[in-house]
Amino acid sequence: MKVLVIGGGAREHALCRSLSLDPDVTALHCAPGNAGIAEVAQLHPVDALDGAAVARLATELEARLVVVGPEAPLVAGVADAVRDAGIACFGPSAEAARLEGSKAFAKDVMAAASVPTGRSYVCTTPEEIDKALDAFGAPFVVKDDGLAAGKGVVVTDDLAAARAHALACGRVVIEEFLDGPEVSLFAITDGRTVLPLRPAQDFKRALDGDEGPNTGGMGAYSPLPWADPKLVDEVLETVLQPTVDELRRRGTPFSGLLYAGLAITSRGVRVIEFNARFGDPETQVVLARLRTPLAGVLLAAAEGRLADLPELVWRDDAAVTVVVASHNYPDTPRTGDPIEGLADVVAQDAPDAYVLHAGTRLADDGGTVLSAGGRVLSVTATGKDLAQARERAYAAVGRIRLDGSQHRTDIARQAAEAPEAAGAPEAAGAPEA
């Protein structure tokens, strides 16, 4: 089949890499893509938020399947436009994507479906904000109701900072702080059948030891040796299936990737928030462990045939990804710096470790790869266990040279060295990627 992927980050590179390894994929296209994706797919310039332009490109390419990666095009209705053109699309409708596009809408769906989540208030005035902050107390969890590129959530003990963020958001959701480690669980669904993937954990803070500001994600790992083996079944029963059923009951069926950001609290599993697409950087490690060819699974979801598929097959390997970010990320990152050492990773570390591009572009000379964003690369590795995967990932990171770059040195360290104590100390309620 011919497949078109929409987006240009490391998540889309991970998707394109997996799709390129699928023998059923005869032609792979990506729009707009990046310097790394260009090695496995043909790139096309397109405004990813323009549904008509995306549908027109898919028609011209005679694509059998379109996969929409980022959240903004989904909320903008790109998947609807593609389906209206008669082409199968993996990604929810604009109405269903409100599950990510509006925190208030997601809370309403969870309440109707009896999905366990934190108590919350939706506020639109200073008076409502002050009342909610006073009701919950510190630590304060303040979420912009709409999309904010992973930067719309503040978790802080500082009342003034919490109030300032809430006032800047307009419509805001203020909720109770959820204690305990965080888990990301993806599920592929066609609006009825829900197919959970393997759980992962990411690291939101910029610096080692979970210090520094929140980011879009500085690394991830899978599997979670400290998690209850029954976790996936429990989340499927209490969170994922009820949510999909409720959206179908409302007449807005959710077809695509449902991402549950979870807190494993002292009172049980609670949903922090939903996303309507694959998360970054968790996608990098989850797909690294998936043995079942990806294209057929995504097409079955897009065509409402998930119930007909056999069970997914997974590798026993562990996977770790480490994000290499630009100087000054996550504030105003510096871009345009040359990236060296990518060929060294291919020569010395493949196939156990590889580089997925996020914010990159080719220089005018057509050969030099330049930084073009805050998160520049995701260096991903597999191994027999987390310790080996981690060792391989950091060995590959060490070969990359990018002036002023930064990365965390402790991704998956606690899980690899002391799994029984590895329920990440990161603050629940942090923003998803």
Side-chain angles (χ1 to χ4, degrees), residues 296-323:
V297 180
L298 302 186
L299 182 63
E303 294 182 343
R305 299 183 288 102
L306 269 187
D308 299 332
L309 290 189
E311 288 189 9
L312 297 179
V313 179
W314 296 90
R315 294 181 174 88
D316 293 332
D317 289 355
V320 171
T321 194
V322 179
V323 171

Side-chain angles (χ1 to χ4, degrees), residues 322-326 374-379 397 400 402 405-407:
V322 179
V323 171
V324 177
S326 293
R375 291 187 295 173
V376 180
L377 305 169
S378 284
V379 181
V397 168
I400 294 170
L402 172 62
S405 68
Q406 56 178 309
H407 65 271

Side-chain angles (χ1 to χ4, degrees), residues 18 52 78 193 204 212 249 270 323 345-346 355 360 378 398 416-417 423:
S18 291
V78 168
T193 301
K204 291 297 181 192
R249 186 193 68 78
R270 298 289 186 272
V323 171
V345 176
V346 174
V355 178
T360 67
S378 284
E417 296 175 354

Side-chain angles (χ1 to χ4, degrees), residues 151-230:
K151 299 176 183 177
V153 179
V154 165
V155 182
T156 179
D157 290 324
D158 185 333
L159 176 59
R163 189 173 190 273
H165 181 67
L167 291 171
C169 290
R171 193 175 194 224
V172 66
V173 175
I174 298 174
E175 62 184 48
E176 67 174 319
F177 176 81
L178 298 174
D179 64 325
E182 292 189 29
V183 174
S184 300
L185 184 60
F186 302 163
I188 293 172
T189 178
D190 58 8
R192 290 185 180 272
T193 301
V194 181
L195 195 63
L197 306 184
R198 293 294 167 88
Q201 186 174 67
D202 74 336
F203 294 75
K204 291 297 181 192
R205 300 286 182 176
L207 307 177
D208 285 3
D210 300 326
E211 299 292 334
N214 275 322
T215 71
M218 295 299 291
Y221 70 91
S222 179
L224 312 182
W226 49 268
D228 188 333
K230 299 179 182 177

